[in-house]
Amino acid sequence: MKAIRQTRSGPPEVLELHDLPQPQPKAGELLIRIHASTVTIGDVLLRRLHPLLIPLFRLFGMRKVHIPGTEFAGVVEAVGPGVSRFPVGAAVYGTTTGLAAGGNAEYICLPETWRTGVFALKPANLSFEQAAAVPVGGMTALHLLRKVALLPGQRVLVYGASGSVGSFAVQLGRASGAEVTGVASAANLELVRGLGATQVIDYASQDFTQSGPIYDVVFDAVGKISAAKMRAVLKPGGKTLSVRTPTSEKIEYLDALRDLCEAGQLVPAIDRRYPLEQIVEAHRYVETGRKKGNVVILNSPQSGARS
């Protein structure tokens, strides 16, 4: 099988395309043929991770990454003894968080359950490339927004509304009946409007902190604004959310995201698509910090199929 290998930390060029033996599922594992995966900012940070920090990550159940790619969507091709949740032929999506082998490959063997990552049946109405772009950003936004239990009519500001987490936060806010204001660059304001934001702000030309205390929730989706700035626009009793706080991955989150996708309330924003062979270029682009929504890696022409 074709797969991307990372043997050391460093720039995008440390990622190399290899022909590797196809893995075989052991007891409690599933073999998944991956149709699409992604490159996230988290993948970039893991690629650059200093070797001295790896032992610290192992304390939290993480392994050194040999094949990158935290998100994937594909089809179950075989199962090992003891697997009960998914039959052969099931279309699935999810994460490989904490595992040494990630989604930037043609095949992967996943345990049916493990400590740090999750997968579930993919949304039936999404293509594989769309589904691969949902888990990380979608679960992060959902986990944080569930902390505040949004009510219809509440006002929410999403800073970094055109990124992966921000684009999902805008849509989840709208699905809850909230009025969402999205802050992004001028080039991305139309994207944010299209996601359902009722108002948009160009961060380069408008200072959102001058609007006064009008928001019930302020969501920093890129981890770049101070708590003081967020509090400046909060109503009394308002809540702040930030991607700098810990989140978690749960099967119930993927199930909830699937329901929202199938109801037409959630659509992943995809900026660029690259074949697996161009993983270096994909990492270079994500590393610029200018991506809109998600960057998808395609393994085959079938990646656009919904089956």
Side-chain angles (χ1 to χ4, degrees):
M1 71 169 186
K2 292 181 180 179
I4 302 301
R5 288 279 289 170
Q6 178 181 344
T7 58
R8 66 188 191 279
S9 300
E13 288 73 20
V14 303
L15 303 174
E16 298 177 347
L17 183 67
H18 286 259
D19 285 317
L20 301 177
Q22 181 179 310
Q24 298 300 315
K26 302 174 184 176
E29 291 185 341
L30 303 89
L31 174 66
I32 297 172
R33 181 177 182 182
I34 297 174
H35 289 292
S37 57
T38 66
V39 175
T40 68
I41 189 61
D43 294 322
V44 169
L45 295 175
L46 286 173
R47 190 199 74 229
R48 300 188 308 204
L49 185 66
H50 195 284
L52 293 178
L53 294 177
I54 292 175
L56 179 62
F57 270 59
R58 287 176 177 156
L59 293 176
F60 295 94
M62 311 287 280
R63 304 179 192 176
K64 181 179 179 181
V65 174
H66 298 295
I67 297 176
T70 308
E71 300 174 292
F72 74 91
V75 174
V76 177
E77 288 230 335
V79 298
V83 170
S84 59
R85 286 177 55 213
F86 301 99
V88 172
V92 295
Y93 77 137
T95 68
T96 64
T97 307
L99 302 179
N104 297 152
E106 291 182 318
Y107 292 89
I108 189 173
C109 274
L110 291 179
E112 192 167 27
T113 59
W114 72 104
R115 177 180 170 187
T116 49
V118 290
F119 64 104
L121 294 175
K122 88 169 184 65
N125 63 324
L126 297 190
S127 66
F128 287 105
E129 68 175 66
Q130 289 175 311
V134 172
V136 172
M139 284 195 288
T140 299
L142 183 64
H143 175 87
L144 292 172
L145 284 170
R146 282 192 171 183
K147 290 185 174 184
V148 297
L150 282 178
L151 298 174
Q154 287 189 312
R155 301 190 68 177
V156 179
L157 182 138
V158 178
Y159 187 90
S162 62
S164 178
V165 175
S167 62
F168 286 113
V170 170
Q171 295 179 83
L172 290 170
R174 291 294 294 149
S176 298
E179 295 183 14
V180 181
T181 296
V183 182
S185 66
N188 297 334
L189 294 184
E190 284 305 312
L191 167 66
V192 177
R193 283 194 186 94
L195 295 171
T198 51
Q199 292 183 317
V200 293
I201 295 174
D202 171 14
Y203 71 83
S205 63
Q206 296 175 262
D207 184 357
F208 76 90
T209 65
Q210 301 302 308
S211 59
I214 61 173
Y215 297 104
D216 298 283
V217 177
V218 176
F219 191 139
D220 179 8
V222 287
K224 291 184 177 180
I225 55 176
S226 67
K229 286 186 175 182
M230 289 194 282
R231 288 194 298 267
V233 294
L234 274 181
K235 292 180 180 178
K239 304 292 184 181
T240 63
L241 303 171
S242 175
V243 293
R244 289 177 290 190
T245 59
T247 61
S248 63
E249 300 182 6
K250 300 179 181 181
I251 294 173
E252 67 176 274
Y253 288 171
L254 287 181
D255 290 340
L257 293 169
R258 181 181 64 245
D259 291 344
L260 288 165
C261 288
E262 291 180 347
Q265 294 180 300
L266 201 64
V267 179
I270 296 178
D271 183 356
R272 295 188 182 185
R273 301 161 177 83
Y274 295 86
L276 187 64
E277 293 81 1
Q278 293 180 14
I279 193 74
V280 171
E281 289 82 354
H283 267 252
R284 284 176 183 155
Y285 178 59
V286 174
E287 205 163 33
T288 66
R290 296 195 297 267
K291 77 176 178 70
K292 302 179 286 293
N294 302 272
V295 169
V296 175
I297 304 298
L298 304 177
N299 286 351
S300 71
Q302 291 182 323
S303 301
R306 288 175 167 77
S307 61

